[in-house]
Amino acid sequence: SGPVRLDVIGGMAVVVDTAHEDQIHDAKLDYYGNRLATCSSDRTIKIFELGPEPGQQTISANIAGHEGPVWQVAWAHPKFGTVLASCSYDRKVMVWRENQTRGGQWTKIYDYDGHTSSVNSLCFAPHEQGLRLGCASADGTLSVLTWNGQADNSWDERRVPSAHQIGCNAVSWAPPPPRAPPPPPPGSPPAGGTGGVAR
């Protein structure tokens, strides 16, 4: 419970008083570094707007929905809007979206309850793969949850059974492979370069 310390570029430490009523398990900055999401054993998620000066922050949302301690939060890439996911001891993964037309109100847009034990970790895939979320559970399985798009607003749910016998505690994604350079236009002269490569 209490404050979160953020170390920012330049070695300056910023302390955010979260006012959580129990232990804080995770704190994540959004893509732009302007917002902070925290989660706690008090079963809540809090969103803070960070000001331009160190120590200037205001709470913009207090999100409740989980029935147990919230272990981790993850921000989606901004190309999908303002989307945040959370996982909890209650065996659930929840995905939240901020609705700008309702004054910044957060709405639960998806609730996954396919695990039989605590969901300990989650991570959004690189945005090139779409809105996709990997989740790790104490039941030893991983789940991959993929949004199918605006057309039907549904999610594809895939499980990887027996990923670990004693439970899964963390999940992450590899970065996307680099794009190959485009081929030269037809009739281009060959060129030599460093590394012993001729094109």
Side-chain angles (χ1 to χ4, degrees):
S1 64
V4 169
R5 178 188 157 137
L6 302 174
D7 290 321
V8 294
I9 296 172
M12 189 181 317
V14 176
V15 177
V16 176
D17 184 5
T18 65
H20 276 294
E21 296 175 6
D22 208 334
Q23 182 177 359
I24 299 165
H25 297 290
D26 197 17
K28 295 273 177 54
L29 290 169
D30 72 350
Y31 181 83
Y32 300 108
N34 297 330
R35 288 179 152 183
L36 174 70
T38 61
C39 62
S40 167
S41 281
D42 68 8
R43 304 176 181 192
T44 67
I45 301 159
K46 295 186 186 233
I47 309 293
F48 297 89
E49 306 293 328
L50 303 179
E53 297 297 321
Q56 289 182 338
Q57 71 273 339
T58 55
I59 187 164
S60 62
N62 188 7
I63 304 169
H66 284 287
E67 298 170 6
V70 184
W71 300 134
Q72 201 169 43
V73 290
W75 293 97
H77 189 277
K79 79 181 260 182
F80 302 109
T82 307
V83 176
L84 184 75
S86 57
C87 64
S88 170
Y89 181 78
D90 66 6
R91 305 183 310 269
K92 292 184 179 180
V93 174
M94 295 182 183
V95 181
W96 311 87
R97 181 182 302 276
E98 184 181 34
N99 188 333
Q100 294 293 343
T101 60
R102 293 187 180 167
Q105 180 180 354
W106 288 81
T107 305
K108 183 170 52 174
I109 61 169
Y110 180 63
D111 189 336
Y112 178 69
D113 62 358
H115 288 286
T116 59
S117 192
S118 174
V119 183
N120 299 325
S121 182
L122 48 69
C123 182
F124 279 104
H127 66 88
E128 295 88 349
Q129 295 186 30
L131 189 57
R132 179 173 289 166
L133 188 62
C135 311
S137 173
D139 65 12
T141 66
L142 297 173
S143 57
V144 178
L145 312 172
T146 306
W147 183 57
N148 293 321
Q150 295 275 354
D152 64 359
N153 209 29
S154 67
W155 290 73
D156 180 51
E157 302 169 348
R158 309 257 172 160
R159 285 180 48 125
V160 179
S162 303
H164 291 275
Q165 291 182 350
I166 305 178
C168 301
N169 292 319
V171 63
S172 68
W173 295 87
R179 291 185 181 184
S188 296
T194 59
V197 176
R199 297 179 189 219

